[in-house]
Amino acid sequence: MKKLFFALVVVLSLSSRAMAGHPDEGMWLPMFIDRLNYVDMQKEGLRLTAEELYSINHSSLKDAIVSLGGFCTAEVVSKEGLLLTNHHCGYESLQKHSSIDHDYLTDGFWAMNRNEELPNEGLYVSFLVRMDDVTKKVLANVKAAMTENERSAEVRRVIADLKKDASDKGKYTVDVKSFYNGNEYYMFVYQIYEDIRLVGAPPSAIGKFGGDTDNWMWPRHTGDFSMFRIYAKPDGSPSKYSKDNVPLKAKYHLPISIKGVQKNDFTMIWGYPGSTDRYMTSYGVNETLNEINPAIIKLLGSSLDIMKEGMDADPKVKIQYASSYAGLANFWKNKIGESRGLKRLNVFDKKKNIEEQFQSWVTADTSRRTKYGSAIPEFERIAKLKTEAQQGKQEWYLNLTLYASNTLKIAMKNMSLENIVKMEKEKKAESIKQLEDGLTETYKDYNSAIEEHLLASLLASYNKDIPEANQPEYIKTISTKYKGDFKAYAKDFFEKSLFASEGNFRKFLKDPSEKKLKKDMGLELIKAFMAVAMQGQVSGSALKTAENKANRLFIAGLREMNPDKKFYPNANSTMRVTYGQVLDYFPADAIHYDYVTTLDGVMEKEDPKNEEFIVPAKLKDLWQKKDFGPYADKSGKLVTCFLSNNDITGGNSGSPIINGDGELLGLAFDGNWEAMSGDVAFEPELQRTINVDIRYVLFIIDKYAGAGHLVKEMTIR
Ligand code: ARG
């Protein structure tokens, strides 16, 4: 699952609950495998040593796993820095390289030699060099009596020092993150490579087969993979793109098994899960169900319709908006599924139950009362205030409006114009030249008609759904001026604002003046939103601080209450391991879902009239001839995807699923519809990871695309 959403202005952090237990549940820190999980993993079928998995002195399995751009995972599969990840993780890169003449989304892309591999500006991978527990250092001078502000100032101070010390004069990028909501701190030292080239991807008819209809669902038949390569200086050190760079000589790469999977086989998944909220309280569940998710579903639903209409009307626009559409549609459907799951699986009641147990445990003892007594009453108080102010809904309306409208995004990025127009002549000319140079790129995937429509719709929803007192004054002004007709406003805006099109922007830059800028409708609008964002951050921050503290106490208390339970921390975009097995499931009464799908199913789903289910002629041909090479299953069929009960979330997309001998079996790419509430509560009976089988991946590279030279680079067992 690709990391779902980057909150732009307001970083939402909701509250939480715990629970480990089942071996399948849990996203564990690699440095603790030896201590916490190894015995269990061995019992389940792991045959590598703990040192072979995670070592900071020798190369180990962890060295094959990278974070891709902070939103996905990828793994090294050859000595020459070849990477595998999901198709949907490479989708944006593919889209950026695509045009009507070279439509890599529709046709796929294959570099037939190294010279054809395509650079991707801004894309990077990070290798984890090591991680350390720095809790003692970070909390050394933290006292229980400190205010939250004093506490976080102290924590920030120590973290800044730690980072500086570990960076080795900038060689490494260092991150120190909070775990268990501020109860523990870990440091991560990364080496970052920035010359990452696109090597190959199947057409969307394979890489995105089933489209948004099948997304988040099983049975699945998607060949969700793409390939990149890491380039470095000849001495192996990182460098920005340069034609002199060479493929990275990798420290470790994953060998590949083409023996296939059986039910109950041991599996582990390594990767970078983005965020989970397993300690969310019943108050959080309530807010998610009643405020946040309905807001997201409504606002994104109408935005997606608008984008789709524009995309269907024009093939060029279709390519331009493909990546943002896919991202938003993915998030939108996720939230629909999450709400459905939270309700059907009675997650609210389960959380309440935990809180009640917690509260009786706290009340039973004086010292516990002193330490943890404030947590639950605080949750209650905060929830009441937040609900009254409809805070969650407001934050998301703000976020999504700024996120879905490219016009507002561009306006936000260029608020510095206010300073630029005031600069003295020479500096001004220089800044303007820079802006001009970037404009083609800024507006490359921008369609004014769609954007006008989006802006009108987003503002109208804002005006209608958010209580008047909490709207930017400016929106009320517009509403009055245009008599509530936001279409008329948007029409005017798109004629006048400098941000509305590349042409307008260029025209403004030809003769930029403070006076014109001041009157610009785009600048007025974005400033109005920014003011609301700031104000929200200020008024919300006291609650957020109180909520953080309550969470910290709640989790600390839960851990003390269950001393024998192994607790795992919420996902936070740091490297994790989850282990379990290949497993089927029963999605509903009397329905059984098998754990593998095959190419036969692709043909069953074929629908030439529906672009999500088109089957490429060549694929059909190979299927008819059963020309599967060495990649067929024992049954003679070609397996496409398989299920496991590993515990993953957004950010794990592209993660390797690995057998007990450390061999690659496939790539994790999705979660399943029946357990979409999984980020809030793991459901052992229902929750599954959807993986693309490595044999399908190799078959597509080798037989379908004729890029067997890439398979030759890999270590196949
Ligand atoms: N659900 C997948 C994830 O979150 C993304 C799949 C992309 N495919 C699509 N049809 N939008 O990683």
Side-chain angles (χ1 to χ4, degrees):
M1 293 181 263
K2 183 170 170 175
K3 211 151 121 185
L4 286 174
F5 186 76
F6 301 91
L8 276 180
V9 185
V10 192
V11 182
L12 283 181
S13 76
L14 294 175
S15 44
S16 325
R17 128 185 145 158
M19 295 317 89
H22 234 260
D24 45 1
E25 175 175 5
M27 300 174 178
W28 306 96
L29 284 167
M31 72 180 278
F32 290 138
I33 290 181
D34 199 11
R35 207 174 82 202
L36 292 181
N37 317 107
Y38 188 67
V39 173
D40 198 25
M41 288 170 92
Q42 244 188 337
K43 229 175 18 208
E44 307 245 332
L46 174 67
R47 284 176 292 270
L48 301 182
T49 63
E51 187 76 3
E52 286 171 314
L53 295 178
Y54 178 87
S55 166
I56 52 172
N57 303 315
H58 311 283
S59 65
S60 57
L61 194 147
K62 79 132 178 42
D63 296 318
I65 319 298
V66 295
S67 160
L68 178 72
F71 56 86
C72 274
T73 304
E75 51 277 359
V76 184
V77 290
S78 88
K79 274 203 269 272
E80 309 230 40
L82 189 61
L83 290 173
L84 266 175
T85 186
N86 287 151
H87 184 264
H88 72 265
C89 296
Y91 200 69
E92 192 179 340
S93 302
L94 282 165
Q95 186 263 324
K96 283 190 185 155
H97 286 297
S98 292
S99 60
I100 296 273
D101 303 331
H102 300 277
D103 184 354
Y104 301 140
L105 298 174
T106 305
D107 304 329
F109 169 80
W110 299 97
M112 286 304 170
N113 58 60
R114 303 271 159 96
N115 292 329
E116 288 176 10
E117 299 181 352
L118 296 175
N120 301 281
E121 211 192 314
L123 193 63
Y124 64 92
V125 303
S126 357
F127 282 93
L128 177 66
V129 179
R130 63 176 213 275
M131 56 181 294
D132 287 313
D133 183 353
V134 291
T135 310
K136 285 213 181 81
K137 289 182 187 156
V138 173
L139 299 181
N141 295 314
V142 164
K143 307 266 175 329
M146 281 180 165
T147 65
E148 283 303 292
N149 286 340
E150 288 165 349
R151 182 186 169 105
S152 54
E154 169 62 15
V155 166
R156 273 201 309 272
R157 185 188 66 76
V158 183
I159 288 181
D161 285 350
L162 284 170
K163 280 183 161 179
K164 211 161 97 214
D165 289 349
S167 87
D168 197 0
K169 301 195 191 73
K171 181 170 174 205
Y172 300 120
T173 302
V174 185
D175 216 356
V176 174
K177 284 200 162 157
S178 144
F179 285 71
Y180 305 102
N181 289 64
N183 284 295
E184 293 179 14
Y185 289 85
Y186 291 81
M187 178 165 80
F188 299 83
V189 178
Y190 298 106
Q191 190 161 32
I192 295 190
Y193 285 83
E194 293 178 288
D195 185 354
I196 309 301
R197 302 192 196 167
L198 179 63
V199 174
S204 293
I206 291 171
K208 203 182 178 216
F209 181 75
D212 291 321
T213 303
D214 274 8
N215 191 18
W216 299 112
M217 304 235 175
W218 183 260
R220 195 65 159 276
H221 299 84
T222 311
D224 200 340
F225 78 96
S226 61
M227 304 179 85
F228 290 82
R229 191 187 303 279
I230 309 170
Y231 280 75
K233 286 189 192 155
D235 69 0
S237 60
S239 137
K240 290 227 182 269
Y241 170 78
S242 153
K243 61 175 179 15
D244 301 327
N245 285 350
V246 296
L248 177 75
K249 295 269 168 285
K251 238 167 131 183
Y252 189 78
H253 69 275
L254 294 177
I256 294 171
S257 164
I258 53 169
K259 292 194 206 92
V261 296
Q262 297 294 319
K263 185 171 165 174
N264 294 328
D265 279 355
F266 172 83
T267 57
M268 58 183 171
I269 292 179
W270 288 64
Y272 280 88
S275 103
T276 53
D277 213 342
R278 295 274 163 82
Y279 304 83
M280 185 189 277
T281 60
S282 61
Y283 305 96
V285 173
N286 200 29
E287 188 190 26
T288 304
L289 266 178
N290 296 317
E291 257 192 61
I292 295 177
N293 284 4
I296 297 173
I297 293 164
K298 176 171 176 208
L299 225 54
L300 287 189
S302 44
S303 303
L304 285 166
D305 288 344
I306 292 169
M307 289 163 83
K308 183 102 194 344
E309 198 189 317
M311 289 165 78
D312 285 345
D314 181 345
K316 177 172 166 220
V317 177
K318 191 169 181 148
I319 297 174
Q320 287 180 309
Y321 279 74
S323 179
S324 20
Y325 183 88
L328 290 180
N330 186 46
F331 185 57
W332 175 74
K333 191 169 176 186
N334 174 283
K335 291 296 152 188
I336 295 174
E338 184 180 68
S339 283
R340 175 184 178 273
L342 287 171
K343 282 183 216 145
R344 290 167 73 111
L345 301 167
N346 299 320
V347 175
F348 178 87
D349 294 341
K350 291 176 188 163
K351 300 286 188 186
K352 258 282 173 271
N353 198 2
I354 294 170
E355 286 149 29
E356 276 159 20
Q357 285 171 27
F358 177 83
Q359 204 46 19
S360 11
W361 175 81
V362 170
T363 329
D365 178 284
T366 331
S367 84
R368 290 182 206 151
R369 274 203 297 271
T370 323
K371 266 200 319 211
Y372 306 119
S374 63
I376 302 284
E378 271 293 89
F379 286 135
E380 202 166 318
R381 177 184 76 87
I382 295 163
K384 194 157 167 273
L385 291 172
K386 278 172 99 177
T387 314
E388 274 164 18
Q390 298 197 359
Q391 194 175 308
K393 177 172 168 182
Q394 272 184 57
E395 286 179 350
W396 277 99
Y397 262 63
L398 186 66
N399 267 334
L400 292 175
T401 301
L402 296 178
Y403 192 78
S405 160
N406 285 309
T407 317
L408 287 175
K409 253 193 261 183
I410 293 172
M412 190 157 58
K413 267 205 206 125
N414 288 288
M415 284 177 78
S416 61
L417 273 175
E418 282 195 293
N419 300 328
I420 294 176
V421 291
K422 285 188 207 138
M423 285 174 179
E424 37 115 352
K425 219 171 152 201
E426 237 162 77
K427 267 183 100 186
K428 182 168 159 183
E430 205 178 293
S431 305
I432 286 182
K433 170 92 181 39
Q434 246 178 22
L435 279 179
E436 277 175 335
D437 289 347
L439 280 187
T440 309
E441 186 57 30
T442 304
Y443 286 95
K444 177 179 166 285
D445 295 324
Y446 185 94
N447 176 271
S448 292
I450 292 188
E451 296 300 332
E452 180 180 329
H453 203 157
L454 273 175
L455 188 69
S457 153
L458 289 163
L459 293 181
S461 302
Y462 213 103
N463 184 238
K464 191 159 148 273
D465 301 343
I466 298 293
E468 240 192 69
N470 299 323
Q471 286 185 28
E473 207 47 49
Y474 187 65
I475 293 200
K476 286 184 259 174
T477 314
I478 305 173
S479 179
T480 317
K481 182 163 169 206
Y482 292 86
K483 306 198 173 53
D485 183 355
F486 285 90
K487 279 202 185 117
Y489 166 79
K491 187 157 182 282
D492 217 11
F493 184 110
F494 272 75
E495 271 160 28
K496 293 181 186 147
S497 171
L498 76 103
F499 300 112
S501 68
E502 186 179 342
N504 286 9
F505 209 140
R506 284 204 192 278
K507 205 165 119 210
F508 174 80
L509 291 181
K510 284 256 152 358
D511 178 23
S513 80
E514 226 181 308
K515 198 168 137 221
K516 268 192 259 170
L517 185 63
K518 241 199 174 119
K519 280 196 323 211
D520 189 83
M521 292 171 79
L523 190 72
E524 275 178 333
L525 185 59
I526 194 66
K527 281 175 77 174
F529 271 116
M530 284 322 202
V532 175
M534 290 306 270
Q535 189 198 330
Q537 262 176 346
V538 173
S539 65
S541 88
L543 281 187
K544 218 144 259 173
T545 309
E547 198 173 21
N548 284 345
K549 179 172 181 188
N551 272 315
R552 190 173 69 238
L553 297 177
F554 181 50
I555 296 175
L558 280 172
R559 293 175 81 187
E560 192 177 317
M561 175 176 147
N562 301 283
D564 296 328
K565 192 173 256 167
K566 290 181 208 156
F567 281 78
Y568 60 89
N570 273 323
N572 60 358
S573 295
T574 56
M575 190 192 275
R576 302 297 177 90
V577 183
T578 152
Y579 57 100
Q581 52 270 123
V582 174
L583 206 61
D584 52 353
Y585 71 110
F586 291 83
D589 191 28
I591 304 180
H592 176 232
Y593 277 167
D594 205 351
Y595 62 92
V596 286
T597 56
T598 69
L599 199 55
D600 296 4
V602 173
M603 306 307 151
E604 285 170 10
K605 282 181 179 173
E606 181 183 18
D607 179 357
K609 287 200 284 297
N610 179 348
E611 70 163 338
E612 295 187 317
F613 294 96
I614 287 171
V615 176
K618 179 151 188 207
L619 187 62
K620 201 164 185 177
D621 189 46
L622 289 164
W623 172 73
Q624 262 153 356
K625 294 190 185 121
K626 288 198 185 312
D627 188 1
F628 302 147
Y631 309 114
D633 202 42
K634 283 187 225 55
S635 61
K637 297 193 174 202
L638 186 68
V639 170
T640 41
C641 299
F642 69 92
L643 290 177
S644 64
N645 64 355
N646 299 88
D647 186 0
I648 67 158
T649 189
N652 266 121
S653 275
S655 289
I657 179 161
I658 299 168
N659 67 14
D661 293 313
E663 298 159 342
L664 186 67
L665 296 171
L667 275 62
F669 73 93
D670 214 354
N672 61 327
W673 192 242
E674 295 79 13
M676 297 277 285
S677 45
D679 281 353
V680 176
F682 188 88
E683 298 290 339
E685 297 302 324
L686 287 174
Q687 195 154 332
R688 295 293 177 266
T689 289
I690 303 177
N691 309 282
V692 56
D693 193 298
I694 197 65
R695 293 168 298 172
Y696 188 44
V697 171
L698 297 178
F699 162 81
I700 295 294
I701 299 172
D702 188 355
K703 289 283 181 179
Y704 178 86
H709 60 285
L710 295 171
V711 178
K712 283 214 186 77
E713 256 187 84
M714 305 176 192
T715 306
I716 312 279
R717 289 193 188 152

